Amino acid sequence: MSDRLHTLSGYLYEYQKSVTQPEEFWARIADSFYWRKRWSKTLKWNFKDPDVKWFVNGKLNITENIFERNMFTMADRPAIIWEPNDPNEASRTLTYKELFHEVCRFANALKAKGIEKGDRVIIYMPMVPEAAVAMLACARIGAIHSVVFAGFSASALADRIKDCGAKAVLTSDGNFRGSKKIAVKGLVDEALEKSPVDTVIVYQRTHQEITMKEGRDFWWHDAVADQADTNVAEEMDSEDMLFILYTSGSTGKPKGVVHTTGGYMVYTKYSFENVFQYSPGDVYWCTADIGWITGHSYIVYGPLLCGATTLMFEGVPTYPDAGRFWAVVEKHKVNQFYTAPTAIRALQAYGTEPIQGYDLSSLKVLGSVGEPINEEAWHWYHTHIGKDKCPIVDTWWQTETGGIMVSPLAGITPTKPAYATLPLPGIQLCIVDADGNELTGNGVEGNLCVKFPWPSMIRTTYGDHDRCKQTYFSTYPNMYFTGDGVKRDHDGYYRILGRVDDVINVSGHRMGTAEVENAINEHPKVIESAVVGYPHEVKGQGIYAYVICDLTNRTEENLIQEIKDSVSKIIGPIAKPDKIQLVPGLPKTRSGKIMRRILRKVAENSLDNMGDTSTLLDPEVVKQIIEGRK
Ligand code: WTA
């Protein structure tokens, strides 16, 4: 059943209703799903603890809403189209019926290995259909999945396994990425030395040599070999955990954002259908990795709940050449295409030549996500990819929000370059100043908060509820604080200005400055470090690290390389600093706090206005840092 809006007035009407009667609004949407038992109360909440429950006492299984609910009408419709890294390898298509049987077989395999409802399962896999099968099989049996981006290091993987107390790891022998073949199982083995699990299931992708530990490691194909292709789904409570996804914040280690079953299901389907204006038969492609929230909500759950055909791409935009995205669009006649500004900017750098010769006429909608899209990239995307006829949906949201919060509805909401435009129905935004006063009216700028719950919002941070409270619900009382700055222009349109906390957004990937600093500090020659973001032409933001270190027995060049390698090893290549400047000291206040504001200015090269430096312990340090800047 479709809850798609079709007109601007329809959107405005529904939005109003969603604010004045939120419970009635969401109950109506939720009623189109299949519940084993309908909920008794639509919403219970307070943002103080925080304690948010949607569709209270409702019983369901999210995979029944993907498969059983729709099986009569769309069994033979393609669910997943898979495009491999190598264009010469055959692509694969799984219909809903085929995907259902794969999910059931793997669900049975997990059960046979002793995985039960409530157990945590880590998924560290390449972009192959089996990764989606793994997620859905967990959901089928009530196990909580935690997908870890396969580009993270062994040590980052070990931290996540340990934090959630995982019982099993699902992985592959290796991954293909562009021209590279990456040895994955070896990293898993390394991680498991630190954080052991009972069971490892290995999907054979690259056929490279790996070691298998007797009694712990099993091949995927062996595990499913004798399993039945049907499975009775586990009955879940609406508020039972569906998954944990680790994300970086301003302090400490990444935290496990928890999403629950009922609300996440309702919101991801509703937002997918409306933002992308998906029609049955369309081919939809989101280029994210399933290791990020975008992959969870808008490659797997949202599209599949909608009965959509979702394309999964294993490779990278520039392999075998910079025309690959457009070759895939042409080959599979993609109708909706959803990517990140960093990919657009990277391809823009190759000019329009790689686009020539590809038929992009199937495209109807273009999407953007992960970071602010600059106007130049917006126009390039609109003109050269969308041929001036495809609306761009600039979708603002977060791991914590579970689904798209602010975005045009394609072809319905008039767009404005670089603006995420208007909130989706049910999303009550609020702009506040530094003291927490709400800034009403238009033409204002401040911090972005949400003042009313929505179904797919974060419920807790795994194993540490207080951290959830402190991070999101304590800065401003009774509000969820996003960490983003925003402007509401004279038309009431929202433009996201970027993070206002110590989070750096590198190519749409969130990195905590503290996390990178900790990794740098692990190098034995490093005494202290401070990390800030700076504007980067392709990545949006780059990582600039100021490091105090002991140079005995090292050249500056060697040490910088060693630090980069060590960060890659501790977190992953995405966290590698773009610039490292060795400094004699860091600008600190008398109370010992690093003045990051100054370091940001130096990194941005905007030295005219350094602001007030009178509280600095040693102003001389700033001069030395400026002289030595990269
Ligand atoms: C940023 C990704 C501007 C923002 C879905 C947010 C954006 C963080 C946009 C969340 C956008 C995401 N315009 N900024 N359209 N989308 N962001 O958790 O700073 O990986 O807080 O979720 O990305 O990143 P996350």
Side-chain angles (χ1 to χ4, degrees), residues 245-248 257 292-295 298 338 341 368-373 393-404 406-407 418-420 448 480 482-485 495-501 503-505 508-511 541:
L245 186 58
Y246 286 85
T247 192
S248 299
V257 171
W292 313 116
I293 191 68
T294 309
Y298 300 110
Y338 190 28
S368 172
V369 60
E371 50 176 321
I373 179 164
V393 291
D394 177 5
T395 64
W396 174 84
W397 58 297
Q398 309 178 295
T399 304
E400 295 85 344
T401 69
I404 296 168
V406 186
S407 170
Y419 278 75
L448 182 59
Y480 165 80
T482 64
D484 278 311
R495 178 176 190 156
I496 307 298
L497 303 171
R499 303 289 305 195
V500 293
D501 54 9
V503 171
I504 312 179
N505 193 327
H509 303 145
R510 274 165 71 168
M511 297 303 326
Q541 280 190 296

Side-chain angles (χ1 to χ4, degrees), residues 195-227:
S195 312
V197 298
D198 300 342
T199 306
V200 178
I201 300 182
V202 186
Y203 176 73
Q204 193 166 32
R205 176 66 188 118
T206 53
H207 293 261
Q208 66 204 92
E209 193 77 23
I210 60 169
T211 46
M212 295 287 274
K213 186 172 166 189
E214 184 77 32
R216 185 195 71 183
D217 301 352
F218 306 90
W219 287 107
W220 179 294
H221 50 262
D222 290 336
V224 296
D226 298 323
Q227 297 301 336

